[in-house]
Amino acid sequence: MADTEKPPLRPEGLQPRKKGLTRRQKQRLSRGVQYAVFVAAVAAFAVAADWGRLRNQFAQADIAERMFPDVITLALKNTVLYTVTGFTVGLVLGMVIALMRLSSVGPYRWLAGIYIEIFRGLPALLIFIFIGVAVPLAFPGTEIVGGTYGQVALALGLVAAAYMAETIRAGIQAVPRGQMEAARSLGFSPARAMVSVIIPQAFRIILPPLTNELVLLFKDSSLVLFLGVTLEERELSKFGRDLASQTANSTPILVAGLCYLLITIPLGLVVRRMEAKAQEAVK
Amino acid sequence: MSRPEIRVSGLHKSFGDNHVLRGVDLEIGRGEVVCVIGPSGSGKSTLLRCVNLLEEPTRGRVFVGGVELTDPDVDIDAVRRRIGMVFQQFNLFPHLTVAENLTLPQRRVLKRGKAEAAKVAAENLERVGLAEKADAYPSSLSGGQQQRVAIARALAMDPEVMLFDEPTSALDPELVGDVLAVMRMLADEGMTMMVVTHEMGFAREVADRVVFMDGGVIVEDGSPEQVIGAPRHERTRHFLSRLLDPAAAEVGEKTSDRVGTSG
Ligand SMILES: Nc1ncnc2c1ncn2[C@@H]1O[C@H](COP(=O)(O)OP(=O)(O)OP(=O)(O)O)[C@@H](O)[C@H]1O
Ligand SMILES: [Mg+2]
């Protein structure tokens, strides 16, 4: 501000400050402090860490080597299998619940609402235990088709369905009302309009959140750990843990973790790409 | 006029406390083109939507082609196949190409075979002058082109009656003409048409009758020359004068112009 100018008639508080730091100086200072803290923390860790020991615990090449090819052909394969079957069950069940939630029949709506509240509120682990332990005890003689695979698909599906139902319902409601009206005016029955016109559009809207759900399920499939699986049924987490205790070394955990990231990071990128695209389409 | 193609009698429609239609009687003969005009909120769209039962009338009866739509036992989907409807917002299916927009309803609703549906689709796209857009997606078309596709989609179902709800109101002015030309062609071919519109030129030249609605009732019903040229009712005169000279309206005046929320 030029000092020579006559000061405009402003209340005191709005006058440009003359003393102390300007806003820009403050910003610069704050950023400098943050960088300094970061560098100090990294340096402290580098000095304090026992690198030899860490390397020994987490990065033993021969142990990692021994994990192959089973970690891929067995463990990762099972993880993917559990996830995909669970996702499929969840998608079908979620679709049914979403349509019930939108039904004009009250009891359907309530039932769907109760399901969603219950299964969103419970830890996934509890549902695994329920399917693995409580159901066989409560109904002796009954067997879930597919053995462990069926149990996992069901447990993951039950959890996923609650979330997916809400996502699908939101997607259906996001389709403009005119679409249903146009379909009805062409002679579509409500059900046929839903299947041919509304749901295909809803799925395009909810593809990103559904893919996100797939990532979550991928991680939740590790809960199979608690079902008591045979050697052939082990997935990444169980496989990694077993080998870790066998070898008294943490390398298998690291390798198993990397295998998860191998899938989840690309999927995450895909989701972000889709979201960006959807954003653009809106503009 | 022999048996009317569309007959509406004693029609009432309320949305909650909002009594929108207050006893409408209307007959439209086969091949007749009737334009419905009136101020915003007068119930034009509601009346049109009651004719194919997109809105359920509160009271009264609706007949199309001799079938009573308000009969609770009627197969409403079957009757709607004979009534084409064109919306202000086009309502094309955005996930399908233009050709698919025309073939999907034929195949799912009329159970036509693939080849026949494709043939009918091509013919109707040709009729509205958009044969070359068959493989385009609706979002890549102009508003006028989208509306012509919407008309073609309705025509592909071989309707006996066509309903239009302000088909040109969402269009840029320079695109209105193409859509009106298609509608004029349909009228010349003898289609029975009920058209809610503010296009007075179209009403004057194409319509057999013009119906003026206000406050949920039909105020005036007659030839275009009479209703537009020499309106008998003060409300009609007032509406038409506002339509021709919107700038004359005064602030706070109960508006009778076309501007406002349209449904
Ligand atoms: N689905 C609905 N639910 C509640 N009220 C509605 C509904 N549809 C229309 N209305 C009301 O009915 C009245 C008449 O609406 P309508 O759309 O029939 O008028 P219009 O004559 O077509 O007007 P415009 O020229 O603006 O399209 C309005 O007050 C509107 O708010
Ligand atoms: Mg309207």
Side-chain angles (χ1 to χ4, degrees):
Chain A
M1 280 264 157
D3 284 340
T4 50
E5 267 176 23
K6 227 181 143 194
L9 286 172
R10 287 205 231 165
E12 275 302 303
L14 292 182
Q15 296 276 357
R17 289 166 58 114
K18 303 267 166 60
K19 280 187 208 144
L21 296 171
T22 67
R23 208 151 54 89
R24 193 180 322 175
Q25 284 169 330
K26 267 194 209 159
Q27 267 175 8
R28 215 176 285 160
L29 183 65
S30 151
R31 199 165 319 141
V33 169
Q34 290 179 50
Y35 273 114
V37 169
F38 178 74
V39 169
V42 170
F45 180 74
V47 170
D50 183 344
W51 286 107
R53 201 182 129 81
L54 278 180
R55 206 174 151 269
N56 204 25
Q57 259 302 313
F58 283 104
Q60 288 216 12
D62 58 321
I63 292 182
E65 227 167 87
R66 250 198 292 152
M67 292 176 74
F68 287 90
D70 278 3
V71 67
I72 303 290
T73 57
L74 181 88
L76 182 60
K77 185 206 82 184
N78 273 335
T79 292
V80 170
L81 196 65
Y82 291 140
T83 308
V84 169
T85 52
F87 186 79
T88 308
V89 172
L91 192 62
V92 172
L93 194 60
M95 176 64 82
V96 171
I97 294 167
L99 292 175
M100 282 170 69
R101 195 105 169 88
L102 293 167
S103 163
S104 53
V105 182
Y108 282 154
R109 282 200 307 275
W110 307 327
L111 217 63
I114 290 169
Y115 179 95
I116 290 168
E117 289 310 322
I118 289 179
F119 280 86
R120 277 204 313 194
L122 292 177
L125 175 54
L126 201 71
I127 294 168
F128 268 83
I129 295 172
F130 181 78
I131 296 287
V133 181
V135 170
L137 283 180
F139 309 98
T142 57
E143 208 167 294
I144 295 172
V145 281
T148 306
Y149 289 101
Q151 285 184 346
V152 177
L154 186 62
L156 280 180
L158 287 175
V159 178
Y163 289 95
M164 288 205 233
E166 283 296 85
T167 307
I168 295 170
R169 180 186 59 83
I172 288 175
Q173 287 180 329
V175 177
R177 215 166 62 111
Q179 292 290 313
M180 182 54 112
E181 292 184 347
R184 293 306 307 275
S185 78
L186 288 160
F188 282 85
S189 68
R192 197 169 275 142
M194 197 48 121
V195 171
S196 301
V197 175
I198 307 299
I199 288 175
Q201 292 183 55
F203 265 91
R204 288 187 349 161
I205 298 171
I206 61 174
L207 210 55
L210 277 190
T211 313
N212 249 333
E213 182 63 26
L214 187 66
V215 172
L216 292 181
L217 281 187
F218 200 72
K219 297 188 287 178
D220 278 349
S221 67
S222 62
L223 295 170
V224 174
L225 200 68
F226 295 91
L227 280 185
V229 295
T230 66
L231 287 180
E232 281 71 43
E233 292 166 349
R234 287 179 303 173
E235 42 65 70
L236 282 173
S237 291
K238 172 96 172 127
F239 186 84
R241 191 182 81 156
D242 285 0
L243 269 185
S245 50
Q246 255 173 47
T247 57
N249 189 279
S250 305
T251 308
I253 304 286
L254 188 82
V255 174
L258 288 176
C259 284
Y260 278 107
L261 297 181
L262 205 65
I263 304 278
T264 52
I265 290 179
L267 271 182
L269 286 178
V270 168
V271 172
R272 239 160 295 151
R273 174 87 52 88
M274 285 191 294
E275 277 169 349
K277 243 188 179 168
Q279 276 285 309
E280 227 164 82
V282 169
K283 275 176 204 162
Chain B
M1 194 192 330
S2 56
R3 183 197 68 187
E5 193 67 27
I6 298 175
R7 186 156 76 85
V8 172
S9 68
L11 191 69
H12 287 258
K13 174 67 185 174
S14 304
F15 295 105
D17 294 338
N18 189 0
H19 198 167
V20 176
L21 295 181
R22 301 163 173 265
V24 174
D25 297 282
L26 182 67
E27 291 192 356
I28 298 180
R30 172 162 302 181
E32 220 182 355
V33 176
V34 173
C35 283
V36 181
I37 61 174
S40 179
S42 57
K44 306 180 299 292
S45 296
T46 306
L47 171 62
L48 201 70
R49 293 157 60 83
C50 280
V51 170
N52 72 352
L53 236 67
L54 275 184
E55 299 292 357
E56 186 99 34
T58 314
R59 189 141 51 88
R61 304 171 79 183
V62 176
F63 297 82
V64 173
V67 179
E68 181 180 355
L69 274 77
T70 36
D71 176 355
D73 292 325
V74 79
D75 178 357
I76 187 68
D77 297 324
V79 191
R80 283 212 187 102
R81 278 166 221 166
R82 316 206 325 242
I83 310 172
M85 182 148 188
V86 175
F87 301 85
Q88 187 177 350
Q89 298 299 337
F90 328 134
N91 293 346
L92 292 177
F93 304 139
H95 62 300
L96 302 176
T97 64
V98 165
E100 287 164 349
N101 262 277
L102 271 70
T103 50
L104 181 82
Q106 294 184 63
R107 302 206 56 203
R108 294 282 182 280
V109 177
L110 300 179
K111 308 289 180 201
R112 282 183 184 151
K114 207 174 182 170
E116 191 194 356
K119 186 168 147 279
V120 174
E123 283 166 10
N124 282 291
L125 283 178
E126 185 78 42
R127 274 171 96 187
V128 300
L130 287 172
E132 79 282 4
K133 295 291 184 189
D135 296 323
Y137 279 89
S139 57
S140 70
L141 303 183
S142 75
Q145 290 170 332
Q146 290 190 48
Q147 191 60 296
R148 280 144 69 199
V149 172
I151 295 174
R153 180 176 69 178
L155 291 177
M157 307 297 282
D158 293 330
E160 289 152 25
V161 171
M162 287 284 286
L163 309 176
F164 295 83
D165 190 0
E166 301 200 33
T168 57
S169 294
L171 301 180
D172 290 338
E174 75 271 21
L175 303 176
V176 168
D178 291 340
V179 173
L180 292 182
V182 169
M183 291 167 63
R184 185 188 301 254
M185 171 192 79
L186 278 180
D188 291 342
E189 290 173 6
M191 177 66 78
T192 309
M193 293 163 65
M194 182 170 171
V195 185
V196 175
T197 187
H198 291 294
E199 296 294 334
M200 285 304 137
F202 179 83
R204 212 182 310 238
E205 288 163 37
V206 181
D208 300 302
R209 265 163 64 210
V210 172
V211 168
F212 173 69
M213 277 185 81
D214 196 7
V217 294
I218 291 179
V219 175
E220 201 156 347
D221 178 349
S223 69
E225 298 76 36
Q226 187 259 298
V227 176
I228 301 175
R232 295 206 182 96
H233 291 263
E234 173 53 33
R235 280 197 278 178
T236 319
R237 270 197 291 276
H238 187 251
F239 170 74
L240 288 169
S241 70
R242 285 290 168 270
L243 202 58
L244 297 175
D245 185 12
E250 287 173 27
V251 177
E253 172 181 5
K254 188 179 173 297
T255 48
S256 307
D257 61 11
R258 57 186 295 183
V259 190
T261 54
S262 41

